[in-house]
Structures are given as structure tokens and as C-alpha cells.
């Protein structure tokens, strides 16, 4: 480990040097199957050719200007993203936390601009994850990300995920918005009960609240649809995205319907880097591959195949309690600590992730092949057999 880097992560003692598709190679030349995709970032796999080429070309002509000027690639990206969902406008930033910051500012000011200045509170869910800034860690309903950082930001209220009655009870004359992940990611891939997003929409409409979906992890095809909420007929008022949007270049965005978006007028929000030419070139090329080259189309089917394999493993290993998720956002809940499973899988050439202590999370690239799915399942099966 390098003492010059702050130890904000408990890192594995391995460094990767090269990647291609679903595979990466470490500095000793050892090959790994990547079933984590840099935590849901490399949805197109490593070094997707069109994205690499777009970055190369853009880097050679113009990397950065400023949002003081028009950025054609940003305008094109905004059009394509808004065409893919309910939204009419997009604001670009550099991360998921920043996208949520933008959404939080947007809903507070929206309520003020619409004659409801006392409404600033945002209802979020227990075990949610929305980022690491003071405001977004406050929005995250997890003690472990908040501990030690008080005073936290005022204006958040937490309810159990999936519990409609709790939301109804939490709404007050202070409430401005409801913010949820369509599927909780860091919490261990928790899928809400059917009808949950629909019920949130009804509550929001009834009380003039805004509904915000944090699609930072569920977006960009991860669940087999372009956006996680598109498994339902519900549309939010605001949606935040990041992670996979530019295939690994830092980018986030806050999308909103025109009625809501117009609240962020010139001077009310901004970002130096947000939506710069280089990141937009990467994001546009990412959409080319995801939408035009059929990557998204295959994701649901691949997810089904992988999930079936995980269920098959569950049948044979008593300590596997549950397999859950949607598309290629899947998890295996164990009756035992999962960290060692992740560590041994790594040593056997499979990257996956342990969340919440006992949950294995899988976020493979959407381009994963049937053969790679089989190989990952075989490694995992072997690790579980040897460990328990
Ligand atoms: C990863 C994540 C974030 C935070 O994104 P950063 O880019 O790390 O700031 C926010 N919300 C969800 C749902 C996430 O999965």
C-alpha cells in the first residue's frame, strides 16, 4: 500500500494494467474476469473501441472549454439522454454525488419558485446511498456513511425502503420531494415490491411533491432497460445519473422535466468541468454502442441467464439465502460473511464485490458472453464449496 494516498478505501493488493471487454490483467500478467465493472461504470466492458476512438479524437482537437460557451457535444448528449426518458433538459456535472446535489438544489428552489417556501425537506430511504458530500451523505439513510461528520445537512427524513405507508406518514407541510433509487444498489441490490414507484408517484402528485429517482447505478442499461424505472410506467420529475454514462470518464447529470428544470436559471448552479467536450465525446460514443449497436438489447437476456446460474448455485449451497436483482444488477445474500468470498474469488481471477457484510454484488459489463457467465459461475461455485 502507498502511504501517500489517504486510506479512504480498504484496497485489495492488486493493480490492473490493461483491460479489454470483460477481462483485465494485473501487473503480473494474470487475467481476471470483471464482474463488477468498476462498480457499475464499465457497462460496455473495458476500453470499448468506439469510446476509445472518440476520446482519442476529441483529446486531439479540444479537451475543455467552459460552460460560458456552447458545447455542441453536450447539446447533442442532452438531446439523446432526454429522448431516452421523460426528461426535457439536462445539467451536467462530474459524479453521482454532484448529480444529487443538483437535484436537491433543484427541488428546494422549485418549491420556493412555486410559492411554497417552507417546503425544503426531502424524504429518502433507509440504507439508500446518494453520495459522499455532506448533503448527499445526509440524504443517504446509512449511519455508517454519516458517522463523525456532523453537523449534517438539515432537511432530510428517512423511511424504510419499499414501505408506502411510512412515506405517507412522513409527508408534512415541510416536504419538498421524495428521493429514491429504483433498486437500492449499495444496500445490496434491494428490489422494491411491485407498485412501489407507482405509489410514490401518486403520493407526490397528491401533495405537490417532486419525485426524484437516483439512477446513478440502475441507469445506462444496468437492469436490462435503459433506466431502472422504465420497468414501470412511472416517470419521475427529476432523475440523476452518473457511473456508466461516459464509460469511465467522470460525468454525472441531473435530468428534469421542463416545468421543473426551468427553476435553475443562469447563475443558480454550475460546474467548471461538467459536460466538457472530452467527457461528452465519451458519453456520446457510449450511447452509440449502448443504443445503436444493440448492447442494451442483449442485457436483459444475459441477466436472466446469469441469475438462473446463481439460483442453481443457491440450490446446492445452504448458506446462500437469496438471489435477487434485475438485469445485470444482481446479488447473492449469504448466511455468512461475504468478504472472504470476494477476496478468494479475486485470487481465482473473478472480480465481484461484497456489500453490507453478507451480500455478494455482481455488476458485469452488459457485453458479457454466455461463456464468461459460465466461467464466473464455475469460479464462484468452487469458492463457496471450498470455503463452507
Ligand atoms: C455510486 C452512487 C452514487 C455516488 O456516485 P459518485 O460518483 O461516487 O459520487 C450515488 N447514488 C447511487 C445510487 C450510487 O450507486
Amino acid at each position: 500500500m502507498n502511504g501517500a494516498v489517504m486510506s479512504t478505501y480498504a484496497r485489495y493488493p492488486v493493480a490492473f494494467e490493461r483491460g479489454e471487454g470483460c477481462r483485465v490483467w494485473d501487473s503480473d500478467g494474470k487475467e481476471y474476469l470483471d464482474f463488477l465493472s468498476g462498480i457499475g461504470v464499465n457497462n460496455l466492458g473495458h476500453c470499448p473501441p468506439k469510446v476509445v476512438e472518440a476520446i482519442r479524437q476529441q483529446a486531439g482537437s479540444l479537451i475543455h472549454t467552459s460552460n460560458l460557451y456552447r458545447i455542441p457535444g453536450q447539446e447533442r448528449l442532452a438531446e439523446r439522454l432526454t429522448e431516452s426518458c421523460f426528461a426535457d433538459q439536462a445539467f451536467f456535472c462530474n459524479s453521482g454525488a454532484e448529480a444529487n446535489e443538483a437535484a436537491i438544489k433543484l427541488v428546494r428552489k422549485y418549491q420556493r419558485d412555486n410559492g411554497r417556501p417552507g417546503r425544503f425537506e426531502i424524504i429518502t430511504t433507509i440504507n439508500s446511498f446518494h453520495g459522499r458530500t455532506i448533503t448527499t451523505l445526509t440524504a443517504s439513510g446509512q449511519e455508517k456513511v454519516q458517522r463523525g461528520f456532523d453537523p449534517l445537512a438539515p432537511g432530510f427524513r428517512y423511511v424504510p425502503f419499499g414501505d408506502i405507508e411510512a412515506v405517507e406518514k412522513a409527508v408534512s407541510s415541510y416536504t419538498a420531494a421524495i428521493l429514491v433509487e429504483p433498486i437500492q444498489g449499495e444496500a445490496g441490490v434491494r428490489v422494491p415490491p411491485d407498485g412501489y414507484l407507482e405509489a410514490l408517484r401518486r403520493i407526490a402528485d397528491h401533495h405537490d411533491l417532486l419525485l426524484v429517482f437516483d439512477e446513478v447505478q440502475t441507469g445506462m442499461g444496468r437492469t436490462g432497460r435503459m433506466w431502472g424505472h422504465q420497468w414501470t410506467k412511472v416517470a419521475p420529475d427529476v432523475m440523476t445519473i452518473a457511473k456508466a454514462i461516459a464509460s469511465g470518464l467522470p460525468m454525472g447529470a441531473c435530468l428534469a422535466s421542463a416545468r421543473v428544470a426551468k427553476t435553475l436559471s443562469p447563475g443558480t448552479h454550475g460546474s467548471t468541468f461538467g459536460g466538457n467536450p472530452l467527457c461528452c465525446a465519451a458519453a456520446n460514443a457510449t450511447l452509440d454502442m449502448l443504443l445503436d449497436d444493440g448492447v442494451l438489447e442483449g442485457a436483459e437476456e444475459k441477466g436472466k441467464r446469469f441469475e438462473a446460474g446463481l439460483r442453481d448455485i443457491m440450490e446446492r449451497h445452504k448458506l446462500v439465502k437469496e438471489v435477487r436483482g434485475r438485469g445485470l444488477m444482481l446479488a447473492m445474500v449469504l448466511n455468512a460473511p461475504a468478504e472472504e468470498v470476494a477476496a478468494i474469488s479475486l485470487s481465482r481471477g473473478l472480480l465481484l464485490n461484497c456489500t453490507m457484510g453478507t451480500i455478494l454484488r455482481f455488476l458485469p459489463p452488459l457485453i458479457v458472453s454466455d461463456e464468461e457467465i459460465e466461467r464466473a459461475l464455475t469460479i464462484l461455485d468452487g469458492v463457496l464449496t471450498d470455503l463452507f
Side-chain angles (χ1 to χ4, degrees):
M1 296 302 118
N2 185 321
V5 176
M6 283 199 199
S7 45
T8 53
Y9 284 82
R11 293 172 199 270
Y12 293 109
V14 53
F16 302 114
E17 238 171 43
R18 193 165 65 83
E20 189 186 324
C22 298
R23 294 173 300 168
V24 287
W25 289 267
D26 71 13
S27 34
D28 298 326
K30 180 176 164 178
E31 181 181 311
Y32 300 78
L33 253 183
D34 187 356
F35 268 52
L36 186 58
S37 307
I39 318 187
V41 169
N42 306 112
N43 282 12
L44 301 174
H46 292 275
C47 301
K50 277 194 183 173
V51 179
V52 170
E53 191 44 40
I55 293 172
R56 275 210 179 100
Q57 277 201 8
Q58 188 62 49
S61 51
L62 192 66
I63 294 174
H64 178 83
T65 50
S66 161
N67 283 304
L68 293 172
Y69 311 101
R70 287 182 66 174
I71 300 173
Q74 186 186 114
E75 293 172 9
R76 176 154 179 263
L77 179 62
E79 277 167 13
R80 297 172 85 189
L81 288 173
T82 54
E83 266 165 28
S84 74
C85 65
F86 70 96
D88 301 300
Q89 291 192 312
F91 167 82
F92 293 99
C93 50
N94 315 287
S95 67
E98 278 180 77
N100 285 322
E101 288 276 351
I104 291 162
K105 285 179 70 173
L106 177 56
V107 300
R108 286 189 185 169
K109 187 160 182 298
Y110 171 85
Q111 295 293 6
R112 275 194 183 80
D113 289 354
N114 286 276
R116 299 183 284 263
R119 294 206 190 183
F120 56 85
E121 202 167 72
I122 299 173
I123 297 173
T124 68
T125 62
I126 292 168
N127 286 327
S128 60
F129 184 76
H130 300 295
R132 296 283 193 168
T133 63
I134 289 290
T135 308
T136 57
L137 73 80
T138 309
S140 304
Q142 295 188 55
E143 228 258 315
K144 77 166 189 263
V145 305
Q146 299 176 343
R147 202 179 305 130
F149 298 113
D150 48 319
L152 302 181
F156 293 93
R157 201 165 166 165
Y158 314 101
V159 295
F161 185 65
D163 185 342
I164 284 302
E165 228 173 273
V167 177
E168 272 165 350
K169 282 199 191 125
V171 173
S172 73
S173 56
Y174 300 116
T175 315
I178 303 167
L179 163 63
V180 295
E181 298 156 82
I183 295 174
Q184 283 188 332
E186 299 306 299
V189 189
R190 283 141 135 294
V191 183
D194 286 344
Y196 182 60
L197 300 184
E198 289 85 344
L200 294 180
R201 182 71 268 175
R202 278 195 298 277
I203 294 170
D205 289 344
H206 186 72
H207 297 280
D208 288 324
L209 315 177
L210 293 179
L211 183 59
V212 185
F213 288 159
D214 178 342
E215 292 250 18
V216 170
Q217 193 162 147
T218 48
M220 298 298 288
R222 177 49 58 193
T223 70
R225 302 271 156 93
M226 183 62 178
W227 308 110
H229 72 270
Q230 289 176 336
W231 284 92
T232 71
K233 291 196 164 60
V234 173
D237 303 294
V238 180
M239 174 170 82
T240 55
I241 65 180
K243 290 203 162 88
I245 175 174
S247 293
L249 288 205
M251 178 178 264
C254 173
L255 279 65
S257 61
R259 170 179 72 95
V260 178
K262 70 170 191 274
T263 229
L264 289 183
S265 51
T268 56
H269 198 43
S271 168
T272 296
F273 294 127
N276 83 6
L278 187 66
C279 292
C280 287
N284 275 312
T286 300
L287 291 185
D288 290 344
M289 290 185 69
L290 192 63
L291 299 175
D292 306 342
D293 299 351
V295 171
L296 177 61
E297 264 165 57
E300 185 177 349
E301 209 44 50
K302 301 234 168 85
K304 280 193 183 133
R305 173 179 284 265
F306 185 37
E307 186 180 345
L310 292 173
R311 289 193 183 283
D312 187 52
I313 289 178
M314 178 166 74
E315 307 256 292
R316 281 175 290 110
H317 295 273
K318 277 207 177 57
L319 87 158
V320 181
K321 210 160 75 176
E322 190 188 350
V323 169
R324 64 192 184 198
R326 190 166 284 157
L328 284 164
M329 182 174 182
L330 292 163
M332 188 175 243
V333 186
L334 304 186
N335 269 319
E339 188 46 64
E340 208 182 344
V341 180
I344 295 177
S345 296
L346 171 72
S347 72
R348 296 188 188 180
L350 174 64
L351 309 187
L352 44 81
N353 164 246
C354 161
T355 65
M356 293 287 167
T358 58
I359 300 171
L360 294 171
R361 177 173 48 165
F362 309 94
L363 304 168
L366 310 184
I367 53 154
V368 68
S369 70
D370 292 350
E371 187 266 333
E372 286 162 334
I373 288 173
E374 288 313 312
R375 203 139 45 92
L377 289 166
T378 304
I379 295 173
L380 179 65
D381 199 0
V383 173
L384 291 175
T385 303
D386 294 349
L387 255 184
F388 301 104

